[in-house]
Amino acid sequence: GDQLTASTVRGVKSESKTGSVSTDRVRLSLTIAIEDVFFDSYACALRINGRNIAESKFVAFGQYHTLDLEMNQPFTLGKAEWDLISLQRVKDACDITRQADVAAVTMQEGLAVVCLMTQYMTVVRQRIEVPIPRKRRGSTTNYEKGVQRFYEQIYRAIKQHIDFGVVKVVILGSPGFVRDQFFDYMMAEAVKAEDRAIIESKSKFLLVHTSSGHKGALEEVMRDPQIKARLADTKSALEARAIDKFYQMLNDEPDRAFYGYHDVHKAAENGAIGTLMVTDELFRAADVPTRKKYIQLVEDSQATNADVLVFSSLHVSGERLNQLAGVAAILNFPLVIESDEESGAEGDDGQE
């Protein structure tokens, strides 16, 4: 099975010469064979339970221990075999630009925050602070130079942190007219520099009012129904639409909507899958053969150019998919599959 090495704190009992017993908390590094994984959404931490498999002065070999992994905590994960799904998920997790299809820049005079957003989290990529002198009676030169420096830094940050090949919407939010003035500046600079990435992505920018330039202002933006409608093409929305389409297909054309491993596997064998939907829980199964068969199902489907969507079990769409045994497929064409029982009955009749 999988092995995890991480730093942890454990209570260690010690007895003094007088016979009194005390418990000290000792920080140490442990390696465990993983048996159970639980995500604590409130503490934003992974709790991994398993038996100690390395020599330790404080923890006996084979003794159970729970390792808590928090954000940005170093750890080492070992597998007997790194499959396609595991490698891709590590790659995606380490590179937020591969999964963030919404970007946001909140700003106010002298302050801007550049964020990338996924269906799981919002990550600040850069915070920009530029002192802007106040306007003086009869002269605004210093003020205008300060604003120019401020806008230049935001423009550079957008080019550095936002991949327009992945991002579908870029929210520019501010109080007053800061967002509008910056947008005009950015487009003028892009035309001068023949910056095609910015020019061709003009329609992706969404200018909205926020109460401040701090990251927290994004919460009010995401509650706006008009913003929700504009963000309808993000990854989580695509997954929601896919599961909705499946249920509609199940009602209208049941021969093109399969769920459960047996039927979906048969559809893959016939090259019929157009969209495969799988929950990530299936790739974390403790039973290695179970993991391998779902990985093979994904590979077989991709070989016939099917779209593969891996749903998070922590998202509402993933919960709906779990009600279908965690795997479902929308087929490109109707397919009728005889059940094993029917095949067996026909074989018995033939023998008689």
Side-chain angles (χ1 to χ4, degrees):
D2 298 348
Q3 300 175 5
L4 177 69
T5 302
S7 175
T8 186
V9 175
R10 189 173 176 95
V12 178
K13 291 183 179 180
S14 58
E15 186 175 344
S16 67
K17 293 179 180 179
T18 60
S20 62
V21 177
S22 62
T23 301
D24 298 317
R25 296 187 65 76
V26 178
R27 179 164 291 279
L28 65 156
S29 178
L30 274 186
T31 300
I32 62 171
I34 299 173
E35 294 188 11
D36 185 52
V37 179
F38 171 72
F39 177 66
D40 186 337
S41 57
Y42 293 101
C44 198
L46 275 175
R47 296 208 161 95
I48 301 99
N49 187 42
R51 292 179 185 269
N52 177 39
I53 57 171
E55 288 187 15
S56 172
K57 178 181 177 181
F58 303 106
V59 183
F61 192 87
Q63 189 173 358
Y64 276 101
H65 185 82
T66 298
L67 293 173
D68 289 347
L69 290 184
E70 299 177 345
M71 284 284 288
N72 303 318
Q73 178 181 341
F75 66 92
T76 302
L77 179 65
K79 287 178 174 284
E81 178 183 352
W82 283 92
D83 56 69
L84 174 75
I85 297 294
S86 297
L87 288 171
Q88 187 61 48
R89 289 178 74 80
V90 169
K91 190 174 183 180
D92 290 346
C94 293
D95 184 2
I96 191 166
T97 60
R98 295 178 59 85
Q99 52 179 310
D101 47 9
V102 178
V105 184
T106 55
M107 61 186 82
Q108 63 190 50
E109 226 171 58
L111 170 68
V113 181
V114 181
C115 303
L116 294 178
M117 304 166 69
T118 74
Q119 72 267 42
Y120 308 117
M121 67 185 102
T122 300
V123 178
V124 175
R125 294 312 305 268
Q126 187 172 342
R127 181 183 173 92
I128 299 165
E129 292 186 75
V130 175
I132 299 177
R134 292 183 179 182
K135 292 180 181 178
R136 292 187 177 181
R137 185 178 299 177
S139 175
T140 59
T141 303
N142 290 338
Y143 170 79
E144 289 170 354
K145 285 182 179 178
V147 170
Q148 178 87 2
R149 288 195 303 271
F150 179 49
Y151 288 169
E152 283 175 0
Q153 290 195 32
I154 300 174
Y155 184 27
R156 284 202 301 268
I158 287 175
K159 288 174 62 63
Q160 180 182 351
H161 298 295
I162 298 177
D163 182 350
F164 287 97
V166 176
V167 169
K168 298 180 177 68
V169 179
V170 182
I171 298 169
L172 298 181
S174 77
F177 298 99
V178 179
R179 61 189 179 278
D180 304 275
Q181 292 164 357
F182 167 73
F183 182 72
D184 292 341
Y185 165 86
M186 178 181 65
M187 296 312 301
E189 288 297 307
V191 170
K192 277 189 213 173
E194 297 183 354
D195 189 340
R196 298 192 65 82
I198 296 288
I199 295 169
E200 293 176 359
S201 300
K202 183 177 180 179
S203 61
K204 293 183 178 182
F205 286 88
L206 180 61
L207 279 60
V208 301
H209 172 80
T210 58
S211 58
S212 76
H214 295 276
K215 175 192 168 188
L218 285 174
E219 293 181 16
E220 62 200 58
V221 173
M222 301 307 289
R223 289 196 297 266
D224 188 320
Q226 292 183 341
I227 305 301
K228 288 181 180 178
R230 179 67 188 274
L231 300 181
D233 198 29
T234 61
K235 185 176 184 294
S236 56
L238 287 173
E239 293 174 355
R241 285 208 300 275
I243 196 73
D244 286 341
K245 183 179 178 182
F246 172 84
Y247 275 106
Q248 188 65 45
M249 193 74 75
L250 190 63
N251 185 57
D252 298 340
E253 296 182 70
D255 289 341
R256 288 185 57 198
F258 284 16
Y259 64 93
Y261 176 79
H262 178 269
D263 286 357
V264 173
H265 179 247
K266 290 289 185 183
E269 286 183 333
N270 285 274
I273 296 179
T275 302
L276 175 68
M277 295 167 282
V278 193
T279 61
D280 56 5
E281 277 189 351
L282 296 173
F283 303 116
R284 298 199 302 265
D287 180 42
V288 175
T290 298
R291 276 193 247 173
K292 286 187 174 181
K293 77 176 185 181
Y294 282 103
I295 290 162
Q296 189 62 51
L297 177 62
V298 168
E299 292 177 349
D300 292 345
S301 300
Q302 289 177 332
T304 57
N305 297 317
D307 293 325
V308 176
L309 298 175
V310 178
F311 286 56
S312 168
S313 56
L314 298 175
H315 195 275
V316 63
S317 299
E319 292 174 0
R320 292 177 69 191
L321 187 56
N322 274 332
Q323 295 171 4
L324 300 167
V327 60
I330 299 170
L331 309 191
N332 287 323
F333 50 83
L335 193 64
V336 177
I337 296 177
E338 294 180 352
S339 68
D340 292 340
E341 291 180 4
E342 289 175 348
S343 300
E346 288 175 2
D348 292 341
D349 291 340
Q351 288 177 353
E352 291 177 1

